[in-house]
Amino acid sequence: MSSGTSTIGASRCRNCGFEAPGGDDAWDRIDVPKLGRMTQCPDCGSTDVMTHR
């Protein structure tokens, strides 16, 4: 097994590279009309977040 920073179930901001476990309290959550609840990067504010499985 490798010991890299990416782990299964980790989410990463595609804008700035911030990474934390998916669903973790480190991520901000915002409510967007017509789209619902979205995950937001706490570092840059981007909602372009990718989850690794």
Side-chain angles (χ1 to χ4, degrees), residues 14-51:
R14 293 178 54 156
N15 186 55
C16 73
F18 175 84
E19 191 168 308
D24 192 83
D25 288 340
W27 294 103
D28 291 336
R29 306 290 189 284
I30 58 172
D31 289 311
V32 179
K34 297 185 181 180
L35 294 177
R37 188 159 214 143
M38 296 182 74
T39 299
Q40 184 178 40
C41 177
D43 284 354
C44 71
S46 175
T47 55
D48 190 2
V49 176
M50 179 176 61
T51 300

Side-chain angles (χ1 to χ4, degrees), residues 5-21:
T5 57
S6 294
T7 59
I8 295 174
S11 294
R12 184 175 61 87
C13 175
R14 293 178 54 156
N15 186 55
C16 73
F18 175 84
E19 191 168 308

